[in-house]
Amino acid sequence: MEKAVAFYGAGMVAVSVYYAIKELYRDWRAVCFIVSNKSGNPDNIDRIPVLSIEEFFRIDRRNNVKILVATPENHHEMIALELHKRNHRNYLLMDSRKEAALMEQYFNRKKQFISLRSYPVGTKRASLKVYMTRFHKDTLLQNPYKTQEWICDIQAGAALSEISVADIKDNTGDNISGKNGNYSELSALYWIWKNTRALDRDKEYFGLFHYRRILDLTEEDRCRMEENHIDIILPFPTIHYPSANEHHQRYVREEDWQAMTMALAELAPEYAKNMSRIFSQPYFYNYNMLIAKRKIFDDFCEWMFSILEKTESLSSPKGWERSDRYIGYLGENLTTLYFMHHKEELKIAHTGRLMLI
């Protein structure tokens, strides 16, 4: 029997969940996407209408449509309260663990973006060090997260605040901490690249997490990494409609996109030639999170930061004259471009992105 379903949200989480449900649950019929405010949202996604919550409840008076709440988890409580206020109980909150499991199923079915957990488990754990960014304006987690011993905090943008929230700070040694307003978590990534060779010389893998976002990695997964010689772990890509270009069109000014394009044409012309093909696909590596072998980590950082530095100089206003996080968003695009470009050469494994609240 066919089941009518609506997706609360119209961003990358909702679109990703929609495509996974469409592939995996053929007896489910997508009715619409629901948004609290239609401003800034498309009229339709894959020919499925995007409706305001008022429009939706005018057509679903009997609560026959199941709602999948597919937004970042920090919005779930507010959305659930709104649905309860309207006497709607037929909904499911797609938290990040449900989302990760769904996307793993989807990509396994599509035989794309291989899951780390599809590899056999070995007996030896990979040696790694992952830095989790902290920021002086972070609000405390409602559900404190007990970090594994291979994760340590790093304060991003430490040069911009006298408040200390971590013992390790990105304003020591070779750093761009003062640029954090544009680089976001990438100022911490830069510090790791430049300052940890001697500090963590016994580690094989290096990575970056966020205070509220982490990659789902277990001790068994560490054994998979070592046993199968994994080069890099990335989050399952998000799916964008109609293509990955939707990300920069939503978050990046066209002038800044053109500045990055010019920087690529000058410094990395082979990647510039591949841009159109890669961004015409729907898949995108969000969040600026990764775990990679040291050589790959270094090669990627050297490539990306040289392009971002050039982009700053070509931007108007110049990157150092502003503070609007645009470099952080461009970093996500460059991560997508770099690893999609090298996907045949590198052994890339994927895992879920978990949201901490």
Side-chain angles (χ1 to χ4, degrees):
M1 182 177 176
E2 188 177 72
K3 178 184 289 187
V5 61
F7 300 86
Y8 202 115
M12 59 193 175
V13 176
V15 173
S16 299
V17 169
Y18 159 72
Y19 276 106
I21 292 292
K22 181 181 177 182
E23 175 68 28
L24 297 169
Y25 298 89
R26 300 297 177 87
D27 58 337
W28 290 26
R29 176 176 61 87
V31 173
C32 66
F33 293 85
I34 304 169
V35 293
S36 56
N37 188 332
K38 291 183 71 173
S39 177
N41 286 299
D43 293 328
N44 67 83
I45 295 169
D46 194 30
R47 295 178 292 185
I48 306 297
V50 176
L51 305 179
S52 70
I53 192 167
E54 290 79 12
E55 289 172 324
F56 170 75
F57 278 106
R58 283 200 291 269
I59 66 171
D60 186 41
R61 297 181 185 275
R62 297 185 178 181
N63 293 344
N64 291 326
V65 177
K66 186 176 186 68
I67 298 175
L68 299 185
V69 179
T71 66
E73 274 170 83
N74 53 315
H75 300 300
H76 283 190
E77 183 177 359
M78 178 187 65
I79 292 169
L81 287 171
E82 179 66 24
L83 295 178
H84 278 246
K85 188 173 73 174
R86 295 172 183 268
N87 295 315
H88 190 98
R89 303 292 190 273
N90 187 16
Y91 67 88
L92 175 66
L93 300 175
M94 294 295 298
D95 64 32
S96 56
R97 287 195 180 276
K98 291 188 183 79
E99 178 196 343
L102 182 70
M103 299 317 297
E104 183 173 19
Q105 280 184 275
Y106 172 75
F107 286 121
N108 284 345
R109 172 77 65 87
K110 301 282 283 185
K111 295 182 170 55
Q112 294 178 294
F113 305 107
I114 297 170
S115 167
L116 176 60
R117 288 174 188 163
S118 67
Y119 289 97
V121 179
T123 57
K124 184 181 177 185
R125 295 171 182 162
S127 172
L128 74 159
K129 185 70 164 288
V130 174
Y131 290 81
M132 177 183 276
T133 59
R134 298 292 309 274
F135 189 62
H136 71 277
K137 292 185 179 180
D138 287 335
T139 56
L140 293 178
L141 294 172
Q142 298 172 29
N143 304 308
Y145 170 73
K146 188 178 186 305
T147 57
Q148 293 94 329
E149 48 86 19
W150 42 268
I151 299 176
C152 68
D153 290 347
I154 179 171
Q155 182 167 343
L160 305 178
S161 174
E162 295 181 359
I163 300 171
S164 176
V165 295
D167 291 336
I168 300 173
K169 297 174 171 56
D170 72 347
N171 64 339
T172 61
D174 189 346
N175 74 86
I176 55 170
S177 182
K179 294 183 177 184
N180 176 265
N182 275 330
Y183 277 72
S184 298
E185 61 277 349
L186 294 182
S187 67
L189 187 69
Y190 183 95
W191 186 92
I192 299 165
W193 170 43
K194 290 293 189 179
N195 297 285
T196 59
R197 288 183 185 87
L199 184 65
D200 297 307
R201 64 177 64 199
D202 60 324
K203 307 302 184 202
E204 183 181 7
Y205 291 87
F206 289 81
L208 181 71
F209 289 172
H210 302 184
Y211 180 51
R212 295 186 178 276
R213 297 189 187 99
I214 62 172
L215 295 181
D216 185 11
L217 193 71
T218 66
E219 293 305 297
E220 276 195 349
D221 293 331
R222 288 178 64 189
C223 295
R224 290 185 174 97
M225 292 164 62
E226 183 71 19
E227 175 73 13
N228 300 283
H229 309 291
I230 302 300
D231 289 321
I232 180 164
I233 301 169
L234 292 166
F236 287 113
T238 51
I239 304 175
H240 294 252
Y241 178 83
S243 71
N245 283 307
E246 185 270 343
H247 180 275
H248 86 259
Q249 290 164 0
R250 180 181 288 244
Y251 294 108
V252 179
R253 294 189 319 157
E254 186 58 30
E255 299 91 328
D256 295 329
W257 182 256
Q258 292 305 320
M260 188 194 77
T261 301
M262 288 188 288
L264 277 164
E266 178 179 338
L267 301 177
E270 68 277 22
Y271 294 87
K273 290 175 185 175
N274 217 5
M275 273 183 71
S276 177
R277 179 186 67 80
I278 287 173
F279 289 115
S280 66
Q281 300 174 19
Y283 307 114
F284 189 87
Y285 287 127
N286 281 91
Y287 313 118
N288 290 322
M289 291 196 300
L290 75 165
I291 299 173
K293 286 183 176 177
R294 180 87 230 192
K295 174 70 164 60
I296 293 160
F297 186 94
D298 287 350
D299 288 349
F300 167 62
C301 286
E302 183 168 1
W303 177 86
M304 181 175 70
F305 284 110
S306 67
I307 293 163
L308 292 176
E309 183 179 23
K310 185 67 176 180
T311 300
E312 282 188 284
S313 69
L314 294 171
S315 300
S316 180
K318 305 293 187 187
W320 48 85
E321 297 171 344
R322 54 202 279 201
S323 180
D324 57 8
R325 300 178 64 193
Y326 82 106
I327 291 291
Y329 290 126
L330 289 177
E332 292 178 306
N333 285 273
L334 290 176
T335 299
T336 301
L337 177 61
Y338 186 88
F339 290 110
M340 294 289 187
H341 183 88
H342 289 288
K343 68 179 183 178
E344 302 302 327
E345 305 153 40
L346 297 175
K347 198 167 189 179
I348 303 174
H350 301 82
T351 190
R353 177 267 307 145
L354 302 182
M355 180 81 176
L356 306 177
I357 57 175

